[in-house]
Amino acid sequence: MSGKTFKAMVVEEAGEKNFVRTIKDRSTDELPEGELLIRVHYSSLNYKDALSASGNRGVTKNFPHTPGVDASGVVEESTDPGFSAGDEVIVHAYDLGCNTSGGFGEYIRVPAAWVIKIPANLSLRESMIYGTAGFTAAYSVLELERHGVTPDKGEILVTGATGGVGSVAVAILAKLGYDVVASTGKTDQEQFLLDLGAKEVISRDESRDESGRPMLKGRWAGVVDTVGGEILVTAIKATKPMGVVTCCGNVASADLPLNVYPFILRGIVLIGIDSQNCPMKRRIEAWDRLSREWKLDKLDSIGKEVTLDQLENEIALILEGKQVGRVLVNMSPND
Ligand SMILES: NC(=O)c1ccc[n+]([C@@H]2O[C@H](COP(=O)([O-])OP(=O)(O)OC[C@H]3O[C@@H](n4cnc5c(N)ncnc54)[C@H](OP(=O)(O)O)[C@@H]3O)[C@@H](O)[C@H]2O)c1
């Protein structure tokens, strides 16, 4: 059987440490093995995609490669009894877009174990406004909740607040009635964060303590950190006794220069968020929440829509830390 031709972003090596991105025709015959062939309708841009698209071997070992850790679409072929042609599905994380051809192509072929049937109250488009970033925000909020951080416990700090994970976290927490303090490097985006529901916006500089003190006055009942480094360290030092801090990202730094005092004198809980290997049960729970009681009325204000051809500029912006909210990629604008 001959494969279908489809359009995809292809990242190729062009000399030492130089990578080029082009939109090319590919064939479904080139896709890896898997039980499900899926026509991708939407994808989204995450920081990790920008790393893969610029040749980062920590994310993608082998090139040529089609990035895109996120995809929503319709099953065209299935050899798995749990799925049929026509099912609307979401695929994100696992190896999609890392070393498996990803959502920046009009088709993906993946193992059935990576695939979630889209919840009833969510469209393919809405699911990718959330995407991996929104899922990661939801997973972080689930962890705060699981560790007893209820709205009455006090303020929640969200760092990297205008980013993909940060903006969705601000909006979910505000919707749930938490007092959210948003930390951002983009002083011109204060209104965007207040509109998402933040109670207060603080600058990145205010979020970084350089006094060297082992602990600071406790302010936060919980923290959703998306940046790492000194900002995460400062947040942990300024968390109230028995407070909970989630940590998912390293855009500022992967280092954590800290001592044990916040943990042994205040009982702070630090939770690592790994959405790539999140167990399927928890994954389904997070998507279910995102589709029902956590569903954001302001989803469209968080997402800007582009086509595959327009992705180039967006990749540059996210790598520079200048992106605001989520970038939704419409993979079937002519359908
Ligand atoms: N562990 C997981 O499962 C998982 C899943 C998804 C994402 N992540 C990670 O989470 C992080 C955020 O992802 P994302 O998709 O939300 O990325 P993003 O949209 O680029 O957002 C990151 C935000 O961090 C802030 N920032 C950028 N550079 C910074 C710097 N040098 N110092 C301090 N803050 C900086 C900016 O927000 P402000 O200007 O508002 O400060 C930026 O918008 C990334 O590291 C990503 O790899 C991890």
Side-chain angles (χ1 to χ4, degrees):
M1 197 172 78
S2 76
K4 297 174 202 257
T5 301
F6 69 94
K7 295 226 175 299
M9 174 183 285
V10 179
V11 183
E12 291 167 284
E13 273 188 280
E16 206 181 326
K17 293 190 177 163
N18 187 23
F19 289 81
V20 289
R21 298 182 278 271
T22 33
I23 308 302
K24 287 192 169 175
D25 282 343
R26 296 189 59 195
S27 164
T28 53
D29 286 341
E30 299 163 22
L31 292 174
E33 305 250 300
E35 292 90 22
L36 302 185
L37 178 70
I38 297 165
R39 169 73 169 97
V40 178
H41 285 235
Y42 290 95
S43 182
S44 86
L45 179 64
N46 296 277
Y47 188 73
K48 198 172 183 180
D49 299 317
L51 293 179
S52 171
S54 43
N56 184 307
R57 293 204 193 266
V59 179
T60 300
K61 289 191 180 58
N62 299 311
F63 295 88
H65 174 63
T66 294
V69 301
D70 281 334
S72 68
V74 177
V75 174
E76 282 207 3
E77 295 168 14
S78 169
T79 57
D80 184 278
F83 292 91
S84 313
D87 284 349
E88 293 195 341
V89 293
I90 302 171
V91 191
H92 72 105
Y94 297 101
D95 191 47
L96 187 71
C98 295
N99 294 291
T100 299
S101 187
F104 296 167
E106 291 170 333
Y107 279 91
I108 56 172
R109 191 183 288 114
V110 291
W114 296 3
V115 182
I116 297 170
K117 286 190 186 158
I118 196 155
N121 194 30
L122 209 57
S123 69
L124 292 174
R125 184 175 184 280
E126 287 169 335
S127 72
M128 286 296 109
I129 299 180
Y130 289 121
T132 285
F135 171 82
T136 305
Y139 190 12
S140 306
V141 176
L142 278 179
E143 288 298 309
L144 291 184
E145 207 183 71
R146 195 161 70 94
H147 287 81
V149 183
T150 41
D152 58 302
K153 294 277 167 61
E155 294 172 311
I156 310 293
L157 174 70
V158 177
T159 65
T162 68
V165 180
S167 57
V168 179
V170 169
I172 294 174
L173 287 162
K175 176 162 182 145
L176 297 179
Y178 289 90
D179 281 343
V180 183
V181 177
S183 160
T184 182
K186 302 184 190 85
T187 43
D188 59 333
Q189 293 299 327
E190 183 172 356
Q191 195 56 49
F192 168 72
L193 292 166
L194 294 173
D195 289 347
L196 290 183
K199 180 197 85 168
E200 185 184 338
V201 178
I202 60 174
S203 73
R204 200 180 284 170
D205 288 344
E206 285 173 76
S207 315
R208 197 187 290 118
D209 173 74
E210 286 170 352
S211 69
R213 282 188 288 156
M215 286 200 294
L216 302 166
K217 185 168 183 289
R219 176 170 181 187
W220 316 119
V223 177
V224 174
D225 176 71
T226 73
V227 302
E230 294 286 355
I231 291 177
L232 172 56
V233 167
T234 304
I236 293 170
K237 289 180 182 178
T239 296
K240 295 200 291 191
M242 312 313 279
V244 181
V245 178
T246 66
C247 146
C248 75
N250 60 351
V251 285
S253 169
D255 292 338
L256 201 61
L258 186 66
N259 60 40
V260 298
Y261 291 123
F263 306 106
I264 64 173
L265 298 181
R266 284 189 181 157
I268 306 302
V269 178
L270 176 61
I271 301 172
I273 298 294
D274 175 7
S275 63
Q276 188 166 7
N277 299 299
C278 170
M280 189 48 104
K281 190 166 167 249
R282 203 110 179 95
R283 206 175 279 269
I284 290 171
E285 183 187 356
W287 279 109
D288 185 54
R289 291 283 192 95
L290 286 172
S291 75
R292 294 187 299 117
E293 68 267 33
W294 292 5
K295 189 166 180 183
L296 302 176
D297 312 323
K298 299 167 183 156
L299 253 188
D300 266 319
S301 70
I302 298 181
K304 101 170 122 172
E305 184 170 326
V306 299
T307 60
L308 195 53
D309 298 312
Q310 296 164 334
L311 204 43
E312 190 60 33
N313 283 345
E314 307 302 330
I315 290 172
L317 278 177
I318 205 167
L319 284 173
E320 291 165 19
K322 292 185 178 157
Q323 208 49 269
V324 175
R326 298 277 300 133
V327 179
L328 173 74
V329 190
N330 187 341
M331 296 297 298
S332 55
N334 301 319
D335 283 8

